[in-house]
Amino acid sequence: MLVEEARRFAEFISSRFVASSILLQLGLAFFLAHGYDFRVSYVAGRNVAVGGSPYLGGSLGGLLAVGYGEDVQGIGETPLWPLYLGLAYIITGGDVMAFNLVSKAPILLANIALAYIFYVKGLRGWRFFLVNPFLLLVSVGWGKPDNLATLLVVIALVNLESRLLPLHLASSMMIKPLALPAVASLPSSIRPWGNLAKKFLAIIILSLTFFFTPFILLGWPTDTVIRGLPNWLKPVGGISLFNVFELVYGSLTLPRELGWLGLLPVFSLMFSVIYFLLKPWGPERAVEAALLTSLMFFTFRPWVSEQNLILILTLLLLAGGEVGRPIWGTLIALMLLNYSLPQQLYLIWPGVIDFLGELDGSARVWRLLSKFLLSIALWILIWVSSLRCIKNE
């Protein structure tokens, strides 16, 4: 069995198509990086490398201060990812371009692994992870680990009976908490209730262990993280339907009187758990259940970044659904309107940030209005494609 699997993987990885994709991804990983998030990751890695906390932020000078200024905020990912960034900083000695490439190595490998899982299952979507422009730009281009967190979710969902399921989901959440909707969907697939309770308990214990161990062993202060927890509920923008607040209020945070809207994704998780406890779909529909809970979670989330959608699109493809050209076209257009695409030129053109600032002065209102309307269109397209897939089961 292992010999056959090794042979199949060797055939996959040595094919011209996959080899060409790896070369393409290496090029994108080296030259591109989202300016703002790269600076956050670089400082987080530097802090970890010298024994500090990645959540405290810091400052940068020289070319890395162009456009954004010297101050850099702390990282937003959960501890496993900044720990790896610290390792990447040590390996590269802090060289900017080398750090950019090494820090993205797990992201590139996650694309290959996801493609291989789809390939083995005979799903047409396996090429999506290797050549799709949107996927490559928001993964190896951008530098965020959403596809790595998604990979662990997929491994958990296609191996529901595995004893490692809690480890996979807890590890995913400790890279980036995208797995929360998938965890909320478990009551749909796991029975009896005693087994479900054990899985939940194991996920909670492992997550807490992974989260607090670096704080205890490395002496990271917890007050910054605890004080910053409410910030997860306040930002608005990106591809969220709530990005209209940026247009109306001129702010990237929820108005105080509407702060309760930040709790909507939390309520969606609670509703999902209760719904599936009362009406389980069965283990054969675990992916569809996770797709539905993820759709609800991110539709109601006030802030949604482009890379967050990797989870939804992956689950949609894994469920046998279609992701047509209108969705891809709308996603690329939104990347342009969010300036997340041009910001990826930062390392080779630091002046792009000042250029975008000048451009926004004359086009801001139309840009924000277009972004809001296209966000509505995108979520309608994704929901229609997903519901069509779910109803066919």
Side-chain angles (χ1 to χ4, degrees):
M1 184 68 178
L2 289 177
V3 173
E4 177 62 25
E5 188 65 32
R7 184 191 63 78
R8 181 187 298 179
F9 180 74
E11 290 179 353
F12 168 80
I13 203 70
S14 61
S15 71
R16 290 185 179 180
F17 186 85
V18 176
S20 299
S21 171
I22 292 174
L23 291 175
L24 172 62
Q25 292 188 63
L26 285 171
L28 294 175
F30 184 77
F31 290 107
L32 300 185
H34 189 285
Y36 186 89
D37 286 323
F38 174 81
R39 286 161 31 94
V40 170
S41 296
Y42 186 84
V43 169
R46 185 182 68 185
N47 286 358
V48 172
V50 298
S53 170
Y55 300 104
L56 294 180
S59 62
L60 288 171
L63 288 177
L64 291 182
V66 174
Y68 296 107
E70 294 185 354
D71 293 334
V72 181
Q73 72 170 53
I75 198 166
E77 276 76 30
T78 34
L80 291 183
W81 184 244
L83 284 172
Y84 174 74
L85 293 176
L87 176 62
Y89 188 92
I90 293 171
I91 291 173
T92 60
D95 180 83
V96 170
M97 298 305 289
F99 174 84
N100 186 40
L101 180 61
V102 173
S103 67
K104 294 174 178 176
I107 298 173
L108 191 156
L109 292 175
N111 282 340
I112 302 301
L114 282 165
Y116 182 67
I117 291 174
F118 275 59
Y119 174 81
V120 169
K121 288 185 168 293
L123 297 171
R124 290 177 298 171
W126 69 273
R127 290 181 175 82
F128 161 73
F129 302 99
L130 299 177
V131 296
N132 183 275
F134 172 77
L135 184 280
L136 297 186
L137 286 170
V138 297
S139 59
V140 293
W142 195 308
K144 286 288 191 176
D146 295 62
N147 70 332
L148 182 57
T150 296
L151 170 63
L152 291 167
V153 170
V154 169
I155 292 174
L157 292 176
V158 299
N159 296 280
L160 280 177
E161 300 301 321
S162 172
R163 294 181 179 180
L164 297 179
L165 181 142
L167 176 63
H168 291 143
L169 291 176
S171 299
S172 178
M173 288 192 290
M174 289 304 104
I175 293 172
K176 201 162 186 175
L178 299 180
L180 282 171
V183 174
S185 73
L186 291 181
S188 171
S189 310
I190 297 178
R191 287 293 188 275
W193 285 24
N195 187 30
L196 175 63
K198 289 179 182 178
K199 299 288 187 185
F200 270 133
L201 182 61
I203 292 170
I204 293 171
I205 292 174
L206 286 170
S207 297
L208 292 175
T209 301
F210 288 155
F211 186 87
F212 285 108
T213 295
F215 288 87
I216 296 171
L217 296 182
L218 302 177
W220 297 351
T222 58
D223 56 334
T224 303
V225 175
I226 293 174
R227 289 200 310 268
L229 282 177
N231 293 334
W232 283 79
L233 307 176
K234 294 179 180 179
V236 293
I239 303 183
S240 166
L241 298 177
F242 295 87
N243 61 31
V244 69
F245 285 98
E246 186 179 359
L247 175 64
V248 176
Y249 290 91
S251 172
L252 287 173
T253 57
L254 287 169
R256 179 172 297 181
E257 64 273 16
L258 296 176
W260 59 272
L261 291 173
L263 294 172
L264 289 179
V266 179
F267 293 148
S268 79
L269 295 177
M270 296 170 60
F271 173 81
S272 298
V273 171
I274 295 172
Y275 172 79
F276 284 126
L277 281 173
L278 298 175
K279 188 178 180 181
W281 288 5
E284 69 281 357
R285 300 189 64 190
V287 174
E288 287 83 359
L291 172 60
L292 180 61
T293 55
S294 298
L295 277 169
M296 292 173 57
F297 179 80
F298 284 105
T299 300
F300 292 117
R301 193 166 185 233
W303 178 278
V304 179
S305 294
E306 288 91 334
Q307 69 268 20
N308 298 156
L309 296 178
I310 294 175
L311 175 66
I312 290 176
L313 298 178
T314 300
L315 293 176
L316 178 54
L317 289 169
L318 189 61
E322 296 288 337
V323 183
R325 291 181 181 177
I327 291 179
W328 300 127
T330 306
L331 284 168
I332 295 296
L334 283 166
M335 288 189 72
L336 289 168
L337 292 170
N338 276 329
Y339 292 158
S340 56
L341 183 52
Q343 283 188 78
Q344 293 190 30
L345 300 173
Y346 183 72
L347 292 184
I348 56 178
W349 180 26
V352 67
I353 306 306
D354 293 327
F355 170 77
L356 292 174
E358 295 175 3
L359 177 65
D360 206 43
S362 59
R364 181 175 177 81
V365 173
W366 288 108
R367 178 178 71 86
L368 294 179
L369 178 60
S370 299
K371 184 171 75 169
F372 173 59
L373 295 176
L374 279 180
S375 295
I376 295 175
L378 176 68
W379 282 107
I380 290 174
L381 288 170
I382 292 177
W383 268 97
V384 168
S385 296
S386 299
L387 290 178
R388 184 181 298 123
C389 168
I390 292 171
K391 287 179 179 180
N392 286 338
E393 289 297 324

